[in-house]
Amino acid sequence: MHFIQTVIRRDPWEVEPRLKEIGLTSAGLRRVRDVTCAARANVTDFHAANAAGTFAYQDGVWCLRDEFVDEVWKMERPGGVEAIVSLQSQVRVAFANVDRCCDENHHPLPISDKGSGAESLCERNLFESLPSFAKEQSSLGIPLFYCMIDPDGRVELSRPTIEGKTFGPCVERNFISNGPGDDDGAKQSADQFDDGAVEITPTITRKAA
Amino acid sequence: MFNPKKLALARMRRRMTGKGLAQAAGITADTLSRLEKGHRPPDDSTVVKLASALRYPTEFFFGDDPAVIDHDGVSFRNFSKMSAKEKDAALSAGQLGLQLAQWADDRFNLPDPDLPDLSYQNDPERAAMEVRQYWGIGERPIGNMVGLLESKGVRVLSLSEDTANINAFSFWLDGIPYIFLNNFKTPESSIFDSGHELGHLLIHCKGDLRGDRLLEREADGFAAAFLMPANDIRASVQRPITSETIIKAKAKWRVSAFALLHRLWRMKLVSTEHQYRSLCIDLSRRGYRSSEPIGIEREISTVWKQVFSSLWSEKITKEDVAKELRIPLDEVEGLIANMTATSIRPEARTLSIV
């Protein structure tokens, strides 16, 4: 058993090859983000307090599968973890709502507790005092990645350890998107106001002369 | 080469009759008529006289035809109240607006249009729900309607027509949706107008839009449902509904008190006609019929603000843009009036009921 420093990939030139290796696409993961953000937006004051996260989770799991399940990626539910798996790349991916993504100074924390199923798939973090290090490889088979999405629409595909029902340090982190405005020029910031109004403003750029 | 269509456009923009322009330019009405019909080109001194009378640069009258807007595909609000002169002036503003928008398109990467085709949908309520889902905004109130439209590729321009008869109009041209808004109304009215025009662009995008009252009602229904989604209204508006409730609640959806009251009435949250009429009377007494005593700030165009800020940083002014487009500065300013900086609220004036 040995430990390695968390690998963080921030820029497209390093993230894209890794995604290709795994068999995913950044466009597909951004679509999962768009669908979960839309699901969150369906919440009104009459919904239960946890409705935003619930809606996002349900639609996020659906969209992850809708986007990627094919001849290579299969749907699976090991230990109750709603995931997809590729035997070709030996990777599992599940969906998670997290508090904050794409911040190298902050470990993404899941909004809801992670159960024993996820814990056994991810392996425990055995190196608590050194949070930037994690155990290299799960001993329990195919490693589990999470498509993590935060309320502002940031996305990362990361492989966390799990302990105490939450994420610990990650083996690797791939920053996919800093939010909708990072992708298509339409900067969207929700919850800017107390009433949760959607504030979308376009960003334009000068064409080359 | 002198272009008679441009002469007609400039005359319509200045709302001048042929006779009036002929008098102002010191030529005969017959001569002007022949010039507009293209029967013969004017001499240089006549062009100068016409340009001076119209307050347009002489260069404007030469070159290519102005952009053609299919009049049948343009939806006007308050069509029946508009005079032919007002309609012509507004449509020619549209032609100049196209010129300005195209100019900006050539120099800036503007958002591509991303509007679903809802022409099959004949229920405005469902259409509003569908586009909200398509854009992923669910039940949330819209914090900036102009910004939302612009981010979805709609080119939004201002109509500087100082008349309550022209609220707004919209059309598609070459796959680009355009909305022209009368920004001399209250911010709440302009927001509702933009929702109304969005309805036309989405559900009436195929067909003749001339003055059909049913289409106007559908667009109003769309605007109400799009700006004030039913589920959010039900969950947010406290009961019993009073004038105070409405005045307090309307800020969330950035609509006028009367627009919200009408929505509540349609949704049967205001359950009796007596209650509806009483609320109408009370809101009118408080001044909400002709204005919004407690209102919101005017929305501005993020696109035009960024365009002109960027140009300014390159030391390019509005005057330079007007010169390059060969149109008067006041026309350029009119097309972006109240859209690039927040302005004071207009004083109360008589407006059509939304």
Side-chain angles (χ1 to χ4, degrees):
Chain A
M1 183 192 305
H2 68 286
F3 296 86
I4 58 163
Q5 188 166 8
T6 301
V7 175
I8 300 179
R9 300 183 185 91
R10 303 168 192 82
D11 299 313
W13 64 265
E14 50 186 354
V15 171
E16 292 295 338
R18 178 59 177 143
L19 289 179
K20 197 172 176 186
E21 199 173 62
I22 294 171
L24 299 173
T25 62
S26 55
L29 294 172
R30 282 198 295 269
R31 184 184 156 228
V32 177
R33 181 272 316 282
D34 292 343
V35 166
T36 58
C37 286
R40 280 179 181 279
N42 283 325
V43 171
T44 70
D45 289 351
F46 276 177
H47 284 92
N50 62 354
T54 308
F55 287 3
Y57 176 74
Q58 296 288 350
D59 283 17
V61 170
W62 165 80
C63 191
L64 184 68
R65 288 168 171 164
D66 183 67
E67 181 67 31
F68 294 111
V69 168
D70 56 12
E71 292 81 14
V72 176
W73 287 94
K74 306 292 175 198
M75 174 188 145
E76 66 160 12
R77 201 170 278 135
V81 177
E82 303 287 352
I84 56 174
V85 64
S86 166
L87 297 177
Q88 190 175 297
S89 57
Q90 289 288 298
V91 167
R92 267 192 186 99
V93 182
F95 174 86
N97 288 315
V98 296
D99 64 338
R100 197 162 82 235
C101 284
C102 302
D103 179 352
E104 57 190 278
N105 299 314
H106 176 86
H107 292 295
L109 296 174
I111 301 294
S112 58
D113 289 349
K114 295 293 133 194
S116 57
E119 189 166 340
S120 66
L121 290 168
C122 285
E123 187 59 286
R124 298 176 65 211
N125 168 31
L126 302 177
F127 224 85
E128 289 175 0
S129 58
L130 291 170
S132 62
F133 288 78
K135 192 174 177 228
E136 187 187 23
Q137 182 74 37
S138 166
S139 58
L140 298 173
I142 300 173
L144 176 62
F145 284 70
Y146 276 92
C147 169
M148 301 176 177
I149 296 177
D150 75 15
D152 290 328
R154 286 182 283 261
V155 189
E156 66 174 87
L157 182 77
S158 297
R159 188 184 155 200
T161 52
I162 294 186
E163 189 178 59
K165 296 185 177 179
T166 190
F167 293 149
C170 294
V171 176
E172 69 171 269
R173 300 180 69 185
N174 301 286
F175 296 173
I176 311 294
S177 167
N178 278 315
D182 189 38
D183 305 326
D184 57 13
K187 188 182 175 189
Q188 176 170 345
S189 65
D191 291 324
Q192 191 163 339
F193 304 111
D194 292 342
D195 56 11
V198 176
E199 179 90 1
I200 303 175
T201 52
T203 304
I204 65 166
T205 52
R206 193 80 152 103
K207 282 182 180 170
Chain B
M1 190 172 172
F2 183 80
N3 190 326
K5 288 179 182 169
K6 289 194 160 179
L7 174 60
L9 189 155
R11 181 175 62 73
M12 286 189 281
R13 277 304 300 143
R14 298 307 189 196
R15 297 188 188 199
M16 293 175 91
T17 60
K19 193 178 169 188
L21 174 58
Q23 274 178 352
I27 59 174
T28 66
D30 192 40
T31 305
L32 181 69
S33 173
R34 280 202 298 273
L35 289 176
E36 277 202 10
K37 285 174 183 162
H39 290 172
R40 65 168 199 188
D43 56 39
D44 290 349
S45 67
T46 306
V47 176
V48 171
K49 283 180 196 169
L50 288 167
S52 168
L54 290 164
R55 289 175 282 119
Y56 265 63
T58 51
E59 304 80 45
F60 173 79
F61 300 98
F62 298 88
D64 297 337
D65 285 352
V68 177
I69 299 174
D70 174 14
H71 290 203
D72 296 349
V74 175
S75 65
F76 278 105
R77 301 201 63 196
N78 284 357
F79 185 86
S80 57
K81 290 183 184 174
M82 289 172 65
S83 67
K85 205 187 275 186
E86 285 173 335
K87 187 184 161 195
D88 287 342
L91 281 173
S92 27
Q95 290 177 290
L96 297 179
L98 284 174
Q99 211 182 324
L100 177 61
Q102 186 57 53
W103 187 90
D105 244 326
D106 290 343
R107 287 156 183 79
F108 292 87
N109 295 302
L110 305 180
D112 292 328
D114 182 24
L115 276 66
D117 179 358
L118 298 177
S119 55
Y120 62 88
Q121 185 56 268
N122 52 17
D123 178 353
E125 191 85 28
R126 290 193 68 82
M129 221 161 69
E130 281 184 38
V131 70
R132 275 182 160 271
Q133 291 303 319
Y134 179 80
W135 284 342
I137 54 178
E139 299 284 336
R140 290 190 168 182
I142 296 161
N144 183 347
M145 184 65 179
V146 171
L148 174 65
L149 291 172
E150 290 182 325
S151 71
K152 302 304 176 190
V154 180
R155 310 294 188 248
V156 184
L157 289 129
S158 184
L159 267 177
S160 300
E161 310 303 295
D162 192 17
T163 166
N165 290 339
I166 299 177
N167 293 334
F169 69 92
S170 59
F171 56 87
W172 285 87
L173 189 74
D174 297 334
I176 305 282
Y178 293 87
I179 290 180
F180 288 76
L181 291 173
N182 185 340
N183 268 337
F184 288 88
K185 302 169 66 180
T186 63
E188 291 84 351
S189 290
S190 287
I191 289 170
F192 197 92
D193 288 345
S194 54
H196 176 105
E197 296 307 325
L198 176 63
H200 281 310
L201 290 171
L202 292 169
I203 56 184
H204 304 142
C205 52
K206 293 169 184 166
D208 186 345
L209 299 177
R210 282 176 299 180
D212 188 321
R213 284 176 189 276
L214 176 65
L215 299 186
E216 293 306 307
R217 274 204 299 274
E218 281 182 357
D220 273 344
F222 174 88
F226 183 75
L227 294 169
M228 298 169 274
N231 288 342
D232 197 28
I233 288 275
R234 281 195 200 90
S236 304
V237 177
Q238 289 184 351
R239 274 77 115 187
I241 291 164
T242 62
S243 295
E244 284 78 16
T245 315
I246 291 170
I247 290 165
K248 191 177 167 195
K250 75 187 178 81
K252 178 174 182 180
W253 297 282
R254 301 167 63 76
V255 293
S256 68
F258 269 88
L260 179 56
L261 171 58
H262 193 256
R263 179 74 170 142
L264 296 169
W265 166 234
R266 287 282 175 200
M267 289 176 62
K268 299 185 176 16
L269 293 177
V270 169
S271 52
T272 66
E273 186 158 357
H274 173 73
Q275 188 190 3
Y276 175 66
R277 293 202 178 283
S278 301
L279 287 166
C280 281
I281 291 165
D282 191 43
L283 286 173
S284 296
R285 190 179 55 75
R286 294 167 186 243
Y288 284 91
R289 170 73 71 183
S290 55
S291 185
E292 294 296 318
I294 301 173
I296 56 170
E297 267 202 5
R298 180 172 298 285
E299 291 182 351
I300 61 167
S301 157
T302 316
V303 163
W304 290 115
K305 189 178 180 185
Q306 288 178 80
V307 164
F308 282 98
S309 298
S310 170
L311 293 173
W312 181 253
S313 68
E314 298 168 33
K315 298 187 174 19
I316 299 171
T317 63
K318 284 179 198 163
E319 286 86 346
D320 298 324
V321 175
K323 206 169 174 184
E324 199 172 331
L325 291 171
R326 303 175 178 182
I327 62 178
L329 176 61
D330 69 293
E331 293 285 21
V332 172
E333 286 179 331
L335 289 165
I336 54 166
N338 290 340
M339 294 201 86
T340 52
T342 48
S343 59
I344 54 168
R345 294 176 58 79
E347 291 175 6
R349 55 182 287 182
T350 306
L351 295 172
S352 54
I353 299 170
V354 165

